[in-house]
Amino acid sequence: LTGKVAINIPPMTPSGRTFRLKGKGFSNDKTGELGSQYVKVMIDIPQNLTSEEKDFFKSLANKDYVLAKDLKS
C-alpha cells in the first residue's frame, strides 16, 4: 500500500502461509504510524495436466535449484 516491496518467499512455502510486512499498511489517523500489510501466498496447482506436462514437473522435482539471489553475483 505504500509502494513496491520485494519479499523473499522461501522454497516449499505452503499455500495459505501469511507474511507480515511491518510498516507497509495503512497509516493510523491518530498517531500517523504505518500499520502492517499481510500477504497471503495462494498456490494454484493445475488439475488437468497432459502426460508430457506431468513428466516435465516430475523432472523438475529431481533438479537442484538455483535461487534468484544466487544469480546476483
Side-chain angles (χ1 to χ4, degrees), residues 56-67:
F56 173 73
F57 284 115
K58 285 178 185 176
S59 72
L60 289 178
N62 297 323
K63 303 280 183 191
D64 290 328
Y65 294 97
V66 176
L67 300 176

Side-chain angles (χ1 to χ4, degrees), residues 8 26 39 68:
N8 291 321
F26 289 112
V39 177

Side-chain angles (χ1 to χ4, degrees), residues 26-35:
F26 289 112
S27 63
N28 183 315
D29 290 337
K30 293 180 183 179
T31 65
E33 293 181 14
L34 291 174

